[in-house]
Amino acid sequence: MVRVIMLSPPGAGKGTHSKWLAQQTGATHISSGELLRAEAAGGSDLGRQAAAYTARGDLVPDELIFSILVPIVVAAVRDTGGYVLDGFPRTMPQALRAAEIGVELSLTSNAVIYLTAPEEELVSRLLDRAERDGRDDDTLDVIRHRLAVFAAETAPLVDYYRGRGILLELSTDRPEADVQADLQDWLETRELMPPVAGEGQQATG
Ligand code: ADP
């Protein structure tokens, strides 16, 4: 079963492709950003603390993210055997601690998908999303800051996972169906995803 980390700058499509992958495999989709937004909307102490960081586009402290995520990942592996981690880990300390916890609790990841797109494309997608969803961190200044945070804090994870031999890099500057076909092929080769019914037929989009 797939236990995958989706690594991508804001706007590269990690939400979209994470949901798709979870649907295709039956693994649980776990979005750290959505969990934080739900906590904030619910008005819990944790949610209020988190919102102060997310509104500025800064990362929330590790303690907070681990306290929310660990029980959810444990439950996911118990219930479905797999997970699609959308937005976590996002810093080297998070990745190293996640790897330790993974070994301790037998939840280790077996794939990392790194999604890319040109920076101006990322910005334009996020500004479009702002009009649809009204997320308070989808303003131009905060978007630029989130991209800088990605470059400084999250980009180093790419080489770390590449070195472990479990990374697939995919451009999302093309139709979604093409990205998903590459993702499917790669995971199938690694026996992390069953072949789709009707495979070999032309995709109809
Ligand atoms: P995006 O990737 O578009 O920025 P997310 O929904 O993944 O959107 O994350 C939104 C915000 O939630 C981030 O800017 C950050 O403040 C916070 N966040 C999400 N995941 C983490 C994490 N693993 N560590 C710290 N902060 C996080």
Side-chain angles (χ1 to χ4, degrees), residues 98-112:
E100 270 173 31
I101 295 175
V103 171
E104 264 167 42
L105 303 181
S106 302
L107 319 157
T108 310
S109 311
N110 47 28
V112 179

Side-chain angles (χ1 to χ4, degrees), residues 10-72:
K14 82 185 139 52
T16 303
H17 294 296
S18 295
K19 281 181 201 136
W20 177 81
L21 199 50
Q23 256 170 21
Q24 297 296 309
T25 58
T28 310
H29 174 216
I30 303 171
S31 160
S32 51
E34 275 174 21
L35 288 166
L36 292 169
R37 285 187 286 279
E39 282 287 337
S44 70
D45 263 3
L46 218 62
R48 265 197 300 274
Q49 282 172 44
Y53 296 89
T54 57
R56 293 193 303 262
D58 285 329
L59 298 179
V60 308
D62 289 352
E63 281 317 312
L64 204 155
I65 205 85
F66 276 90
S67 69
I68 294 180
L69 277 185
V70 173
I72 292 178

